[in-house]
Structures are given as C-alpha cells and as structure tokens.
Amino acid sequence: MSLNRATVAKRYAKALYELLSEKDQLESGFTELKELRSIFQDNPQLSTLLSDASLQVAERETLVQPLLKDASPYIKNFVQMVYDYGRMENVVDIVDQFQAMYDEANHTVYAEVTTAVPLTDDQKTKIEKSYAERVGADKVILSSQVDPSVIAGVIVKAADTVLDGSLRTKINRLRQQLLA
C-alpha cells in the first residue's frame, strides 16, 4: 500500500521533530531544514533526479553528497534515510510539515495584511502585536500587499480567519443596509 504525500510528510516530520527536540537541536535543525528546503525549491528537478531509477546509483549518490557535506549528524541521517527509502520527492513536504509543528509549538502565526497604501515598519509592528494578542500568538509574521480598492483600513488574513476593517467593506455593508 502506497502512502500519500501528506501522510509521509507528517510521519517523517513528527519523528524528526521529536528527535531534534529530545536532543535539544530543534533551532539549529530547523535552520538546516529551511536551507535544505530552499535547495529543493530552487532546483525542482533535484528530487526527480534523486528518485530516477534510470540513473546509476553512483550518479544519484554523487548528487546527494553535497546535501550531506555540511549537515549536522541528525540532518545528515534524515537526508540519508529519506534518500534510502526513495522519498526525496517528499523533502519539501516534510520540511513544510516540520515547520507547521515548530510554529505551533512556538505559537507563531503567519498572516497577510492588505492595505490601500504601503505600511511603515512601525505600522507593521503595531499590527503584528495587536493581532498576536487577538489570536494568542507569541509571534506574528506578516506579509503585506497593497490594494487601492481597500480605500482605507486593514484586512488581515491568517489560516481560516479574515479580519476585515477596510472602508470598502464598511461602505458595502452600509449600502446593503440602505437597500434592504
């Protein structure tokens, strides 16, 4: 029976997270995993090549060696095990799942804020603090975008939550009330 990508990612990520946590290597391991993920994201064909049975084993191992060269022992073992089990196409999914576990444990939330004009750093900081208090997070990482149709105010989206304090929405609500 073949496992789907999400199941594989959860299992490997959970095992690695527990190991790194137990060995007090969570921070450094997470940093290495983010670097590993960026290598695979910057070179999307890499996982395909490492899983390609038409390549000789020696050729594939030559491609794996640079990934292992500067890695800590736990990350080195992780990469080697994922390679040995033919799961290289799951590396990005595994790291994404690991990050979800890491963020949950550290009460970190990612949010997207939309405004009519670009935010200053001070405004971003205030929104981060305010939103963190509202959702009970220790840290909020904001990405921002500008949409002039917002007119004024702020729209914050995170996971399945949308907080819409835009003037556009207020005008639309008022219009609906007047037409009702």
Side-chain angles (χ1 to χ4, degrees):
M1 176 175 85
S2 178
L3 299 173
N4 67 29
R5 292 176 73 98
T7 302
V8 169
K10 284 179 185 176
R11 287 183 181 180
Y12 279 80
K14 184 176 188 273
L16 184 59
Y17 186 90
E18 289 173 356
L19 173 69
L20 291 176
S21 183
E22 177 185 310
K23 301 296 183 183
D24 199 28
Q25 298 287 314
L26 208 49
E27 298 298 323
S28 60
F30 182 47
T31 300
E32 285 185 70
L33 288 171
K34 289 189 291 187
E35 291 171 10
L36 184 65
R37 176 175 54 194
S38 70
I39 291 169
F40 279 88
Q41 287 173 330
D42 293 345
N43 304 287
Q45 71 284 3
L46 182 59
S47 63
T48 305
L49 286 171
L50 291 171
S51 302
D52 188 355
S54 68
L55 283 178
Q56 296 293 322
V57 173
E59 292 173 311
R60 283 183 279 164
E61 287 179 358
T62 301
L63 293 171
V64 170
Q65 288 312 310
L67 301 174
L68 303 174
K69 189 175 86 170
D70 295 324
S72 66
Y74 298 114
I75 300 303
K76 195 177 286 191
N77 288 344
F78 163 72
V79 171
Q80 189 65 54
M81 183 177 68
V82 171
Y83 171 74
D84 290 345
Y85 284 93
R87 301 280 190 191
M88 294 308 283
E89 72 277 358
N90 298 107
V91 169
V92 172
D93 298 328
I94 294 168
V95 177
D96 288 346
Q97 186 63 42
F98 185 97
Q99 181 170 358
M101 296 170 72
Y102 180 88
D103 289 342
E104 184 178 332
N106 289 290
H107 306 285
T108 301
V109 175
Y110 293 83
E112 180 181 295
V113 63
T114 305
T115 55
V117 295
L119 294 172
T120 65
D121 289 340
D122 187 47
Q123 290 170 322
K124 279 185 183 178
T125 302
K126 286 179 182 177
I127 291 170
E128 287 171 350
K129 286 182 181 178
S130 172
Y131 192 70
E133 287 174 18
R134 185 176 185 121
V135 299
D138 291 339
K139 183 177 182 181
V140 173
I141 298 173
L142 282 184
S143 63
S144 62
Q145 64 181 35
V146 175
D147 180 358
S149 72
V150 169
I151 305 173
V154 177
I155 301 170
V156 180
K157 297 177 185 175
D160 57 353
T161 305
V162 177
L163 299 176
D164 192 338
S166 68
L167 184 56
R168 173 183 65 194
T169 299
K170 291 177 183 176
I171 290 171
N172 287 338
R173 284 186 191 141
L174 184 58
R175 180 180 297 133
Q176 292 296 323
Q177 289 174 349
L178 292 172
L179 293 174

